[in-house]
């Protein structure tokens, strides 16, 4: 997940340098408000276009090499930004870095889910979002750190090159010995891999006996429910307004008239985001996905409404300047609550739960489509947030985001199943509304050493 740092730098790059860009501090290039909107959103266009083909690439060359290939567009994109002489080069750089970030957002969670044991799958899956927020924080530190942003993908490539391909991929390619070697490398020399290897083989054998097209496989009850849940979570993740907050944090503080310097406030929000995501990675396998999602979107809704109220009081002249000064702490408090809540649940879990819920026969394609949908919504929010704010006001904009989050609370409560600690078979049975066979409920010891390995599987 170190490559997530690289993806995070792409997401956060415009947050704290909007004023610097408009002041022509990037190689003396003149940038107006409209150009700034495109600079923010070109990354999401690149990510959106790459999400679908990356699923096929993962199946063709493997999860490991799919992650490694993102280093090329990452590096070229950052070099274009560093040495840009016009806005066209900036657009191209943002597009390429977005392309790489979008690819990584599909390939890395897929890799992580396929190497993880059931009881720590949530924690490992959360590391993706954790290091994404670290990347966002690094990019918050200023335009001059673009060189560091270009180095991060190269460091990732050097370190990740020595990691194994996933056992699932090797088994899909009919290379059982390579799969066993990979599993042994991941689990340790004294670990008995028989149970996990058998579970992977059984799942793939079951898929092979069916041999149906994606559209046929997507007609099953489990597939339809998984697709509906995953797409809905992606919708609520983006339409809560999170990318408007991440991309335009500095602008929000400027327009709120906060007494705190916007660049400082942005860094504070970034630090809190990292801390909250770290907490999430620790507790996700303890409290479960559903509880964290519910708490997350509830507090996002609350902070969105409070932020809307602040802008109503300020922009509609309900309070005078003295009154506004007395509550100038509210924007930073609301954004900290929003970002922390997002990072605890709706940041990492929709990506994690997509990999957990999707049946194997549609996982690569369905996760890619879901990610494409996610980035499309991210483009809409980042490109038109400023326009919407001008058209209907900052308060109404955040009321809309909060209203959508309110609907999200009801959706999580009624439609999202708990997948904590459940095997693939159990999750699919849950989605299908079937009972789980008893022999699937016999769990292996957590240390996995010298255990009989699913004898009744």
């Amino acid at each position: 997940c170190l490559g997530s740092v690289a993806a995070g730098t792409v997401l956060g790059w415009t947050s704290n340098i909007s004023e610097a860009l408009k002041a022509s501090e990037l190689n003396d290039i003149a940038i107006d408000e409209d150009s700034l909107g495109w600079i923010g959103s070109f990354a999401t266009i690149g990510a959106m276009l790459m999400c679908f083909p990356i699923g096929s690439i993962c199946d063709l060359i493997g999860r490991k090499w799919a992650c490694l290939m993102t280093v090329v567009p990452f590096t070229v994109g950052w070099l274009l930004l560093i040495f840009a002489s016009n806005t066209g080069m900036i657009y191209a750089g943002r597009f390429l870095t977005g392309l790489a970030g979008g690819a990584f957002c599909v390939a890395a969670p897929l890799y992580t889910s396929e190497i993880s044991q059931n009881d720590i799958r949530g924690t490992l899956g959360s590391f993706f979002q954790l290091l994404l927020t670290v990347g966002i924080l690094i990019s918050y530190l200023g335009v001059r750190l673009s060189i560091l942003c270009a180095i991060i993908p190269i460091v990732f490539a050097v370190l990740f090159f020595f990691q194994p391909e996933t056992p699932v991929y090797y088994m899909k390619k009919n290379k059982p010995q390579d799969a066993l070697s990979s599993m042994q490398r991941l689990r340790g020399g004294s670990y008995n891999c028989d149970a996990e290897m058998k579970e992977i083989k059984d799942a793939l054998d079951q898929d092979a006996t069916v041999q149906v097209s994606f559209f046929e496989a997507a007609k099953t009850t489990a597939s339809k429910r998984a697709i509906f849940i995953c797409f809905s979570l992606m919708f609520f993740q983006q339409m809560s307004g999170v990318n408007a907050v991440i991309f335009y944090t500095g602008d929000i503080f400027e327009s709120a008239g906060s007494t705190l310097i916007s660049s400082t406030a942005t860094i504070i929000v970034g630090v809190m985001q990292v801390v909250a995501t770290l907490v999430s990675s620790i507790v996700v396998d303890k409290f479960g996905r559903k509880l964290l999602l519910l708490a997350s979107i509830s507090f996002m809704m609350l902070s969105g409404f409070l932020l809307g109220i602040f802008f109503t009081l300020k922009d509609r002249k309900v309070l005078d300047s003295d009154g506004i000064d007395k509550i100038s702490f509210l924007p930073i408090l609301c954004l900290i609550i929003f970002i922390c809540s997002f990072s605890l649940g709706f940041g990492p879990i929709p990506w994690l739960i997509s990999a957990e819920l999707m049946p194997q026969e549609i996982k690569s394609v369905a996760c890619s489509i879901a990610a494409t949908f996610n980035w499309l919504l991210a483009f809409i929010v980042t490109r038109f947030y400023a326009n919407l704010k001008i058209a209907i006001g900052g308060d109404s904009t955040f009321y809309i985001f909060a209203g959508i989050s309110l609907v999200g609370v009801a959706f999580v409560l009624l439609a999202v199943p708990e997948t904590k600690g459940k095997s693939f078979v159990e999750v699919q049975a849950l989605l299908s509304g079937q009972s789980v066979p008893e022999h699937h409920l016999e769990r292996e010891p957590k240390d996995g050493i010298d255990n009989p390995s699913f004898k009744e599987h």
Side-chain angles (χ1 to χ4, degrees), residues 40-362:
S41 57
F42 254 110
T44 59
I45 296 174
M48 179 178 65
L49 292 177
M50 192 59 188
C51 281
F52 192 80
I54 192 62
S56 299
I57 292 170
C58 283
D59 284 341
L60 185 66
I61 65 174
R63 286 69 164 129
K64 173 184 174 178
W65 287 103
C67 289
L68 285 172
M69 64 171 273
T70 64
V71 175
V72 176
F74 265 137
T75 305
V76 174
W78 281 115
L79 290 176
L80 283 170
L81 289 169
I82 292 167
F83 297 107
S85 58
N86 53 61
T87 53
M89 290 181 70
I90 298 176
Y91 293 159
R94 290 289 290 165
F95 177 80
L96 284 174
T97 52
L99 203 76
F104 201 84
C105 284
V106 174
L110 187 60
Y111 181 94
T112 306
S113 70
E114 290 185 357
I115 66 169
S116 307
Q117 289 173 274
N118 291 336
D119 55 343
I120 59 166
R121 190 175 60 227
T123 299
L124 293 186
S126 296
F127 288 162
F128 175 84
Q129 184 71 21
L130 172 62
L131 294 186
L132 197 76
T133 61
V134 172
I136 291 172
L137 177 60
I138 290 171
S139 66
Y140 278 175
L141 300 178
V143 69
R144 294 175 183 81
L145 284 181
S146 295
I147 295 174
L148 175 60
C149 295
I151 294 172
I152 291 170
I154 298 171
V155 175
F156 157 71
V158 171
L159 295 175
F160 189 62
F161 181 81
F162 298 100
Q163 301 310 308
E165 181 55 82
T166 73
V168 174
Y169 175 75
Y170 279 134
M171 290 295 282
K172 289 181 78 169
K173 293 297 181 181
N174 199 24
K175 298 180 179 179
Q177 194 55 49
D178 289 338
L180 180 61
S181 299
S182 173
M183 181 72 79
Q184 207 71 62
R185 167 98 183 273
L186 291 163
R187 300 290 186 261
S190 58
Y191 184 91
N192 188 332
C193 299
D194 293 349
E196 288 189 81
M197 292 302 298
K198 180 166 174 48
E199 188 171 8
I200 293 170
K201 185 178 185 303
D202 286 350
L204 293 176
D205 285 347
Q206 186 176 353
D207 293 343
T209 58
V210 180
Q211 288 296 329
V212 293
S213 67
F214 169 82
F215 294 103
E216 285 296 317
K219 290 179 181 178
T220 66
T221 301
S223 295
K224 285 190 284 190
R225 282 196 66 192
I227 290 169
F228 173 67
I229 292 166
C230 294
F231 273 71
S232 298
L233 289 177
M234 295 299 186
F235 174 82
F236 290 117
Q237 183 195 69
Q238 289 301 328
M239 298 311 289
S240 67
V242 64
N243 269 323
V245 170
I246 291 175
F247 276 67
Y248 300 107
T249 303
D251 282 354
I252 292 170
F253 281 116
E254 290 285 346
S255 60
S258 174
T259 54
L260 201 61
I261 299 171
S262 63
S263 59
T264 304
T266 304
I267 291 170
I268 291 172
V269 170
V271 171
M272 295 304 296
Q273 186 177 17
V274 173
V275 172
T277 310
L278 177 60
V279 173
S280 175
S281 68
I282 294 170
V283 302
V284 68
D285 278 319
K286 189 172 293 184
F287 294 109
R289 284 66 159 149
K290 184 164 184 168
L291 180 62
L292 289 178
L293 283 173
L294 197 57
S296 171
I297 199 162
S298 297
F299 280 101
M300 287 160 64
M301 174 195 68
L302 177 64
S303 57
F305 273 127
L306 288 175
L307 204 53
I309 290 169
F310 175 85
F311 281 112
T312 296
L313 296 175
K314 178 178 180 292
D315 296 342
R316 314 288 180 187
K317 309 297 183 185
V318 177
L319 289 180
D320 58 20
S321 57
D322 289 338
I324 293 298
D325 287 342
K326 290 177 182 177
I327 59 169
S328 61
F329 67 90
L330 196 58
I332 187 168
L333 177 64
C334 288
L335 287 187
I336 287 174
I337 292 172
F338 185 96
I339 288 293
C340 288
S341 302
F342 177 82
S343 301
L344 277 170
F346 256 85
I349 293 176
W351 299 103
L352 169 65
I353 217 167
S354 293
E356 289 182 332
L357 292 181
M358 293 294 184
Q360 288 290 349
E361 59 267 29
I362 67 166

